Structures are given as C-alpha cells and as structure tokens.
C-alpha cells in the first residue's frame, strides 16, 4: 500500500460463512490447487484475513458462492507466487497495451523520453484481431487477471470499447489505468457493462496549477468533470463490479497527501499516493541505486505490447528484455521459454547486475 493509501469503504462480511463455503468446496477443487485452498482456510481459521480486502468483499456480494474458492485460490497465487518466486505454468497477471502513445507528458513518465515517444518503432495501437487472439489464449489457459495498461493511454485506441466488451465475463479481475482525459459517456457505460473491476485514474493533485505542472498537456477541469461523471453513472448501476481509485505520484514535498485524499475521496472508492520512482531513462539510472534482490515481476506478470512483443515489465519500456512475441508463440510458451527462465535464474543467483536494464532499476 502506498503513502497515504486509504480504503474508503470497508463492508462487514461473515467470516465464518466464508470459511464454511471454502471448506465445502474442497472436493470440487483439483488436487494441485487443493493445497492452496487448505492454506487459505488455515490462515482464515487463525483469524488472518489479510487476503480479504474491500475489493474481495465486494466480489463475494455479487458472485455465486460456487466461485468463491476458485477466486480465493487465484488471489492467493496472485499475491504469493511473485513475492516467494514460485514458478508456475502461466503468469497470474497479463498486462495488455492497447496503445503505446499518450496524449499528455507527465514529468515522471518515460513518455518524456523523445527517443521513445518520437520513435515510430515504439508507437502504435494494438490490432483488434491480435487482441482477440491474446484474450482467447489467456482465457483458455486459465489466466484470471487482465490489466489494460502499458506504456501509453489505453483510451487512445479507437477499438478500446470493443476490447472491453470482448473481455466481459472471462476474468475475475479486469483492470484499466487511465489519465481520465479521454473518457466519454459511451466509454463509461462500456467500462461498467463489460465488468471492469478496477478503474484507476492517474491524477497527482487536487489543485489545477499543481496538476497541470506535473501532467503536462492535461486539463485538470476536464479530468475532474470526467471522474465526477463516471461516479454518477457507476452509481446508477446497482450491480456494478467497478471499484474506482485515484492514484497519485508524490513528486515533491509540497504535495499535501491529506488534502489530496480529502478532495478525491468524494468521487472514488479508494485514494492512494505512492512515492515517485524513476520511471523514465531507466537505462541510465545510477547503478548504485539498483535493487539487489530478485524482481518479483518475473514470477507474476507479463506485458504484451501493441505490436505483440512480450516484456517482463514496463520499466524496460524499450524492450531490451524482450522475451518473445505473441504473434509467433502463445502465452504459455513465452512464459516458460529459455529467455524467461534464464532471466529468472540470473535474478535468483544474485546475478541481477548481469541483466540490462535490471542493473539500473531500483525495484527490489
């Protein structure tokens, strides 16, 4: 949880009912997953409910009990496999890039690197047919979490609404990140009706002048209007799955986290502000600031860029670490290929400094 993170709604739920539902589901779970369900039940019986957040409680309220066990197993793997560096056949989380370009220039973002943002090789929109191939593959192999993110602004893709609709009912977690500048009422309805579970608005201030210094070319009044309108529309759907969040980056000491939270909590479910990390020019960050431990990303998530390239993370926004291309191989083949295995082994063997740009990255 980031600096000043606030969960603004915490609903009461019946802990004993959850435990009973999970126990009654054991016989219906595969032998491979039964061990994880038993760990979850044991954790809950010891009154450790750290796996249960307001988001999970909301899931229980709107989803049949028959899905609770599978969902909790998914959440357990999602959280524990990356941090414990546990190998799995598939990524628990797939991040898909609808567009690599962006319409604003945040001062802490790699879009300000003109060798990236003005290079035609890196700029483009994900083709809808390729997108459908990715989603079909992800669903068939059991991936349960999809995020629309990447290096650019997802809503710039003219087919983005269609992409959302194609994902309806296929995943437990369907998340999107947006700067909220390009939202319109049609897209807002598509977001809710497609079952988006997490909508993250990237906003760093509650003041117009401060916002527009940080998010260059963004218009604060438009962003506020769009976020307010989304709340109005979302509230009109009694069975909406969509939890909203304003996520900010703390650029300097002048940013007031308390006032930031007090302002935005009126319009979203959660507010969080995180400390800034070097998100651009990662290739030239000082080596002495690099992380020393294995990077958790390598065991949990995979990015698919607009052109099909697959990458372990978006800190490496120029794909020096490219591990494959979805046009040539499927998700499972890429996740388990030699390039990925070598990268994980180097990190586990204290040879992270032999990986570029991992040797310049401050994560972990």
């Amino acid at each position: 949880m980031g600096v000043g993170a606030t969960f603004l709604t915490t609903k009461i739920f019946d802990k004993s009912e959850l435990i009973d539902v999970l126990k009654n589901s054991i016989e219906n779970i595969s032998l491979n997953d039964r061990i994880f369900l038993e760990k979850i039940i044991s954790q809950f019986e010891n009154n450790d409910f750290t796996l249960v957040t307001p988001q999970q409680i909301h899931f229980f309220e709107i989803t049949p009990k028959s899905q609770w066990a599978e969902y909790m197993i998914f959440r357990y793997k999602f959280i524990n496999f990356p941090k414990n560096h546990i190998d799995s056949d598939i990524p628990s989380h797939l991040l898909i890039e609808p567009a690599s370009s962006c319409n604003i220039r945040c001062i802490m973002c790699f879009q300000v690197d003109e060798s990236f943002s003005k290079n035609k090789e890196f700029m483009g929109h994900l083709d809808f047919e390729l997108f459908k191939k990715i989603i079909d593959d992800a669903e068939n192999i059991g991936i349960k979490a999809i995020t629309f993110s990447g290096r650019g602004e997802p809503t710039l893709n003219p087919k983005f609404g269609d992409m959302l609709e194609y994902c309806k009912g296929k995943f437990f977690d369907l998340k999107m990140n947006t700067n909220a500048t390009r939202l319109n009422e049609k897209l807002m309805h598509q977001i809710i009706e497609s079952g988006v579970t997490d909508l993250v608005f990237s906003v760093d201030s509650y003041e117009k002048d401060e916002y527009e210094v940080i998010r260059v070319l963004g218009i604060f009044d438009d962003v506020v209007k769009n976020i307010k309108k989304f709340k109005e529309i979302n509230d009109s759907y009694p069975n909406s799955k969509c939890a909203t969040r304003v996520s900010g980056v703390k650029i300097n000491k002048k940013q007031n986290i308390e006032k930031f939270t007090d302002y935005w909590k009126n319009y979203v479910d959660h507010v969080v502000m995180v400390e800034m990390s070097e998100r651009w020019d990662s290739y030239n960050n000082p080596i002495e600031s690099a992380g020393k431990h294995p990077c958790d990303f390598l065991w949990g998530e995979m990015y698919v860029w607009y052109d099909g390239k697959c990458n372990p993370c978006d800190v490496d926004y120029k794909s020096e670490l490219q591990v494959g291309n979805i046009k040539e191989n499927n998700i499972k083949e890429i996740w388990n290929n030699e390039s990925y295995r070598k990268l994980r082994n180097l990190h586990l063997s204290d040879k992270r400094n032999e990986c570029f740009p991992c040797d310049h990255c401050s994560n972990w």
Side-chain angles (χ1 to χ4, degrees):
M1 194 178 297
V3 177
T6 304
F7 285 117
L8 300 166
T9 56
T10 304
K11 300 174 183 177
I12 298 173
F13 78 108
D14 189 332
K15 297 177 180 179
S16 60
E17 180 189 28
L18 174 59
I19 294 172
D20 287 343
V21 169
L22 298 184
K23 284 183 174 180
N24 291 332
S25 301
I26 287 179
E27 296 303 318
N28 299 321
I29 300 299
S30 70
L31 291 175
N32 289 337
D33 281 343
R34 200 171 293 178
I35 185 173
F36 301 117
L37 183 57
E38 290 171 349
K39 287 181 179 180
I40 294 166
I41 293 170
S42 175
Q43 188 174 321
F44 289 168
E45 288 181 329
N46 288 322
N47 208 33
D48 179 0
F49 286 88
T50 52
L51 272 176
V52 181
T53 67
Q55 177 187 351
Q56 276 73 68
I57 295 170
H58 183 60
F59 178 90
F60 299 144
E61 291 182 335
I62 63 176
T63 307
K65 294 178 183 178
S66 58
Q67 294 185 31
W68 288 12
E70 185 183 5
Y71 178 71
M72 290 312 304
I73 293 167
F74 150 68
R75 291 301 305 174
Y76 182 89
K77 292 179 179 179
F78 186 93
I79 293 169
N80 288 287
F81 278 27
K83 72 179 181 180
N84 294 318
H85 308 143
I86 297 173
D87 291 328
S88 58
D89 288 339
I90 59 173
S92 55
H93 186 194
L94 197 68
L95 297 101
I96 301 173
E97 176 182 84
S100 60
S101 56
C102 191
N103 58 321
I104 64 177
R105 290 291 180 268
C106 305
I107 60 176
M108 66 290 191
C109 177
F110 35 68
Q111 289 285 346
V112 300
D113 180 356
E114 293 188 352
S115 69
F116 169 72
S117 57
K118 290 192 175 183
N119 188 326
K120 292 182 179 179
E121 175 190 350
F122 296 123
M123 294 293 107
H125 292 166
L126 178 59
D127 175 76
F128 188 56
E129 292 305 314
L130 178 59
F131 169 78
K132 290 194 294 185
K133 175 181 180 292
I134 297 165
I135 293 300
D136 291 346
D137 187 12
E139 182 185 19
N140 288 338
I141 63 175
I143 291 175
K144 299 296 184 183
I146 299 290
T147 295
F148 290 106
S149 184
R151 301 166 295 180
E153 168 55 38
T155 60
L156 292 181
N157 190 310
K159 287 284 190 178
F160 185 62
D162 295 331
M163 291 176 174
L164 290 172
E165 291 177 359
Y166 194 75
C167 291
K168 185 175 182 178
K170 297 177 178 177
F171 306 100
F172 282 145
D173 285 2
L174 184 61
K175 176 180 174 182
M176 62 172 284
N177 296 340
T178 178
N179 58 33
T181 61
R182 296 286 297 255
L183 295 176
N184 55 58
E185 290 195 32
K186 178 183 177 182
L187 183 55
M188 292 178 191
H189 284 283
Q190 286 176 309
I191 289 169
I192 298 163
E193 292 171 3
S194 298
V196 169
T197 55
D198 298 272
L199 176 58
V200 180
F201 302 116
S202 298
V203 187
D204 309 296
S205 183
Y206 61 96
E207 294 181 323
K208 177 180 175 65
D209 290 346
E210 184 177 65
Y211 168 88
E212 293 181 0
V213 166
I214 296 171
R215 294 193 171 260
V216 178
L217 303 180
I219 299 174
F220 182 72
D221 293 340
D222 289 348
V223 169
V224 173
K225 179 186 70 175
N226 289 341
I227 293 175
K228 287 181 177 179
K229 174 56 71 171
F230 187 85
K231 174 176 171 53
E232 176 187 325
I233 293 175
N234 198 33
D235 287 347
S236 73
Y237 283 79
N239 296 317
S240 172
K241 296 180 178 180
C242 190
T244 55
R245 184 192 323 163
V246 160
S247 179
V249 178
K250 187 169 176 55
I251 304 295
N252 55 57
K253 294 180 180 179
K254 294 179 182 179
Q255 287 166 278
N256 188 311
I257 298 174
E258 184 176 345
K259 290 183 178 179
F260 174 79
T261 302
D262 287 343
Y263 179 86
W264 286 112
K265 71 182 182 181
N266 298 306
Y267 311 116
V268 295
D269 299 308
H270 316 299
V271 181
V272 61
M273 181 167 279
V274 298
E275 294 287 354
M276 184 179 73
S277 61
E278 291 296 342
R279 300 296 290 168
W280 76 279
D281 202 18
S282 15
Y283 309 101
N284 294 302
N285 287 340
I287 291 178
E288 54 269 22
S289 68
K292 306 299 181 186
H293 302 291
C295 176
D296 294 358
F297 289 160
L298 296 173
W299 286 268
E301 61 192 51
M302 184 171 77
Y303 283 81
V304 183
W305 298 148
Y306 82 93
D307 55 0
K309 289 179 182 176
C310 296
N311 220 60
C313 72
D314 64 348
V315 176
D316 175 32
Y317 55 92
K318 293 182 182 179
S319 297
E320 294 289 335
L321 296 170
Q322 181 184 343
V323 288
N325 195 303
I326 207 70
K327 294 178 181 178
E328 300 165 3
N329 298 98
N330 62 40
I331 295 168
K332 185 178 285 190
E333 288 170 343
I334 294 170
W335 183 250
N336 293 286
N337 69 17
E338 184 179 351
S339 297
Y340 238 135
R341 290 200 306 270
K342 180 180 178 182
L343 192 54
R344 293 184 189 110
N345 288 335
L346 285 170
H347 274 243
L348 285 176
S349 303
D350 294 325
K351 295 179 180 178
R352 173 178 171 150
N353 62 338
E354 295 182 14
C355 309
F356 178 77
C358 305
D359 58 340
H360 289 260
C361 176
S362 60
N363 286 340
W364 291 282

